Amino acid sequence: MAGWCRVETGWSLHGLTALVLANDRLRVVVLPELGGRIWELVDLASGRQLLWHHPRLLPTRVPFGSGYDDNFVGGWDELFPNDAPEELAGEPYPDHGETWSEPWRWEVLPGPDAAVRLWLATRISASRLQRTIRLAPGAAQVSVDVEVTNGTGSPLPMLHKQHLAVDLPPGSRIDLPASRVEIGDFGRPRAGRAGDDFRWPALATADGPVDFAAAPAGDGAVSELLFATELAAGWCACTGPDGVGVTLAFDPA
């Protein structure tokens, strides 16, 4: 594939180390000291920042065990081994797990691609997480490979979440190859209530069908949690009215 790519080190953002992966189509900014999150994903042709950023909070170091929602600045972070605070295998785990606020170690990988490897040995579960972010010359996609090693010495029930906050301009669409969707017990959904299920993308109501594929207005009046099941393939796409957006593709197994 024609084109160029590079990794730039030596940058900082609000006092945090920033790693920049770039080619002629995308710019990716990674913050190893804030959970190894991908902070920027910029489509260079349109100039659009595709990830959502909190309008009032700046990325900064966060003490381990802090409340997640009060410190969520946006971007794309990784949650393990839990979401809500809970006990797993006899150990209590903090809000949204033990990885999102921790500084991850990192190294630049040799080769034709722009690639960095980040890793973390977790405090409570003694597990190891390794994340490799790769951008090939001329590519319009970022590859993220994750390896999780259980260090507890016994079975560890766990959740592993790619928590990607996408900026949705007015008129955006959300597409996914699901046949059934259930409304979760969270927030203020635009229609229905927790436990309702429907065939994607429309929920039948007394006032007519509500299209959940149409992104809600960005006024904060809608917050909803949807569980998509019976996936025909492993992807979900968020596309703006200009045709620019993000597709997250994954192995459905």
Side-chain angles (χ1 to χ4, degrees), residues 87-227:
E87 184 175 295
L88 298 173
E91 291 280 0
Y93 284 85
D95 189 16
H96 281 68
E98 53 179 339
T99 62
W100 65 272
S101 64
E102 290 280 72
W104 290 48
R105 300 178 66 184
W106 61 273
E107 64 180 351
V108 177
L109 299 180
D113 299 340
V116 296
R117 178 186 293 133
L118 302 100
W119 66 96
L120 172 70
T122 61
R123 297 193 190 200
I124 302 172
S125 67
S127 297
R128 175 184 168 90
L129 280 80
Q130 180 173 286
R131 193 181 199 199
T132 302
I133 303 171
R134 189 178 301 273
L135 180 64
Q141 64 270 353
V142 179
S143 169
V144 180
D145 294 313
V146 178
E147 181 178 316
V148 180
T149 304
N150 178 4
T152 65
S154 59
L156 174 67
M158 65 93 172
L159 169 148
H160 184 262
K161 179 187 289 187
Q162 297 295 324
H163 192 250
L164 196 162
V166 180
D167 185 50
L168 295 175
S172 295
R173 297 280 300 177
I174 302 168
D175 293 295
L176 67 158
S179 58
R180 303 300 301 180
V181 168
E182 179 180 329
I183 300 176
D185 186 12
F186 171 82
R188 301 177 300 279
R190 72 193 86 174
R193 58 186 179 182
D196 288 351
D197 70 277
F198 59 96
R199 183 166 296 277
W200 180 263
L203 171 67
T205 73
D207 297 322
V210 175
D211 182 12
F212 275 74
D219 56 6
V222 171
S223 54
E224 55 202 13
L225 174 63
L226 305 179
F227 295 102

Side-chain angles (χ1 to χ4, degrees), residues 49-71:
Q49 165 59 257
L50 302 175
L51 299 182
W52 178 85
H53 292 161
H54 197 290
R56 298 181 302 279
L57 296 180
L58 297 176
T60 186
R61 293 177 180 84
V62 180
F64 183 80
S66 297
Y68 184 82
D69 287 349
D70 290 341
N71 292 283

